[in-house]
Amino acid sequence: MTIETLSLKTMFAAVAAAIAADRDRLCALDGVIGDADHGIAMELGFNAARDAVAGLGEDADPTLIFNTAAKSFLNAVGASSGPLYATAFMRAGAAVKGKPSLSDADFVAAFQAMAQGIRDRGKAEPGEKTMVDAWAPAAEAAGQAIAGGANAADAIAAAAAAAAKGAEATSGMIAAKGRSSRLGERAVGHVDPGAASAATVIGAMADSLRTSATA
Ligand code: ADP
Ligand code: MG
């Protein structure tokens, strides 16, 4: 399959809708081990990204779409998730620079660049109870799937399953990064909100790719 500008715009809209539907749960998770704003931050960020990319012309290439999403997300979000997702989108844009549309392998390369961008920006390693615990296994699963001959929709579906599993596993972790690191052992038994929202984001990306693949 080939992922066109229109599919990327649709994907941002799909992620914004999924995050809006999940907003209250994400705020509740953040309420337990943070400051209860994570669902609001993610909703503001993805709504801004959705609107900004929707305003681009049909001739916008994938890099412009990702860069525009990055800028608008950063401007809309004051919380730590702002620079983390902005860096993710900037890196995705850089990974596919010069390409008018994306092949399956290009899309997965952009996806892996997002995960790496979050990791670099936050300086978090897996096991530190952050969104990296969803993004890192997701990137690995997508890479394995594409290497095994899967298309982008199936690769990101595998990533979504890995992200959901990774998010669940944060419950058993002590946080080493972010606001919840102040809680020490008291954070154990609670899922990290950023990992939970990452699973929602990646799940919506997978659904959107599946829909555009069969359209
Ligand atoms: P804030 O903590 O500023 O209120 P949010 O509530 O939007 O920001 O996001 C909190 C989430 O951000 C955490 O659950 C965690 O997943 C993620 N996070 C925080 N710091 C880092 C970091 N250094 N690296 C990666 N992710 C981080
Ligand atoms: Mg918060």
Side-chain angles (χ1 to χ4, degrees):
M1 69 193 277
T2 313
I3 296 138
E4 311 284 348
T5 291
L6 186 62
S7 316
L8 287 177
K9 290 182 177 185
T10 306
M11 182 177 295
F12 274 102
V15 174
I19 283 293
D22 205 20
R23 182 193 62 193
D24 293 349
R25 181 185 72 107
L26 298 174
C27 282
L29 288 173
D30 198 26
V32 179
I33 60 168
D35 59 354
D37 67 346
H38 187 62
I40 294 166
M42 292 293 286
E43 185 181 31
L44 282 171
F46 274 101
N47 282 353
R50 172 200 62 203
D51 292 347
V53 304
L56 295 171
E58 275 173 37
D59 56 343
D61 68 5
T63 295
L64 180 59
I65 295 203
F66 284 123
N67 288 349
T68 303
K71 237 175 267 169
S72 54
F73 200 103
L74 188 63
N75 288 339
V77 178
S80 354
S81 39
L84 292 166
Y85 273 94
T87 305
F89 299 144
M90 290 297 289
R91 293 286 187 87
V96 297
K97 204 164 170 50
K99 294 180 190 290
S101 62
L102 306 181
S103 67
D104 296 84
D106 292 336
F107 187 85
V108 169
F111 183 83
Q112 292 182 307
M114 289 179 68
Q116 191 61 46
I118 288 171
R119 214 165 146 163
D120 292 346
R121 186 68 178 79
K123 298 188 169 58
E125 295 296 324
E128 295 189 324
K129 199 181 182 91
T130 70
M131 60 175 77
V132 168
D133 290 304
W135 274 104
E140 200 181 321
Q144 275 176 15
I146 204 92
N151 65 19
D154 290 343
I156 304 304
K165 208 170 147 209
E168 272 309 309
T170 62
S171 176
M173 297 174 188
I174 293 175
K177 293 274 159 34
R179 222 175 268 282
S180 58
S181 60
R182 298 170 205 160
L183 296 177
E185 300 241 341
R186 278 178 292 152
V188 174
H190 307 289
V191 167
D192 175 66
S197 66
T200 299
V201 167
I202 298 165
M205 291 171 82
D207 289 346
S208 178
L209 283 171
R210 190 180 315 120
T211 312
S212 45
T214 54

